[in-house]
Amino acid sequence: KGREEDLGSSTSSSERPCAAEMRSECGIDVDSVQELLRQLTDEEGELFDGIGTGLVSCAVCGKNFQETDLLEGRHEVKVLSCFHSMCAACLQSLLSDPSQEGVACPLCRHSQQKLTLHAYLPHFEAHSTCDRQSISAGDFFCEECVQGGRAEAYCEDCQMHMCGDCQRQHRRAKATVKHSIVSLASSRGDPD
């Protein structure tokens, strides 16, 4: 019964603080809280303005990850320590800038020390999305050579797409001669 009395007394209108008292006693801006609640309810507003940037597109250039420049035959996406993401080309540009001691996220301005490009975590979900789109389009590029030409084969052992020249070299090398290589022309339905 004592608990019921406590609950009853805490909800009486005479003891409930008004908005002005909440602002002065707790430092809470009730108007800001109400605006955030409105934005969450309506799913629009300042809170939602940049929601795609850094999640499905590069935080620097703003391109969707599937539209970014290729690095080593694929769309490479890296995750910063603030969990925003950027394409490898933009991150490499920031890393090579000698005037900057660290890397600052352009969205939240969180700064972190410079690492090598491959020391940043890959954005696995973005890579998976890009790969699924490439699979459905049948559009792969060589991951072995620097030219990054259209892939003609896939090595199941290396898990790598290869152009015709790299495929022939792969079949000649002692270390990879016994690898299982699948022709992409047959999986695309192209005539041989």
Side-chain angles (χ1 to χ4, degrees), residues 62-126:
K63 291 181 184 175
N64 283 337
F65 292 132
Q66 298 89 337
E67 299 167 356
T68 59
D69 295 335
L70 297 178
L71 176 74
E72 299 172 1
R74 74 177 311 177
H75 298 282
E76 188 67 33
V77 182
K78 297 296 185 174
V79 179
L80 302 176
S81 61
C82 60
F83 298 107
H84 288 120
S85 302
M86 59 179 64
C87 67
C90 289
L91 180 57
Q92 187 61 52
S93 174
L94 293 175
L95 293 173
S96 61
D97 184 354
S99 67
Q100 301 294 320
E101 289 189 28
V103 174
C105 174
L107 297 177
C108 67
R109 307 308 303 160
H110 175 77
S111 184
Q112 64 185 58
Q113 77 178 56
K114 286 184 178 180
L115 306 170
T116 63
L117 180 67
H118 292 295
Y120 290 89
L121 291 175
H123 190 314
F124 292 112
E125 186 176 349

Side-chain angles (χ1 to χ4, degrees), residues 105-166:
C105 174
L107 297 177
C108 67
R109 307 308 303 160
H110 175 77
S111 184
Q112 64 185 58
Q113 77 178 56
K114 286 184 178 180
L115 306 170
T116 63
L117 180 67
H118 292 295
Y120 290 89
L121 291 175
H123 190 314
F124 292 112
E125 186 176 349
H127 289 173
S128 178
T129 300
C130 291
D131 289 346
R132 276 195 308 274
Q133 289 180 346
S134 292
I135 288 168
S136 67
D139 196 22
F140 293 97
F141 297 94
C142 183
E143 298 174 76
E144 181 71 15
C145 67
V146 292
Q147 285 89 12
R150 188 174 172 104
E152 296 178 12
Y154 179 77
C155 177
E156 293 179 337
D157 297 281
C158 296
Q159 298 181 349
M160 184 182 313
H161 294 92
M162 292 176 266
C163 63
D165 291 339
C166 290

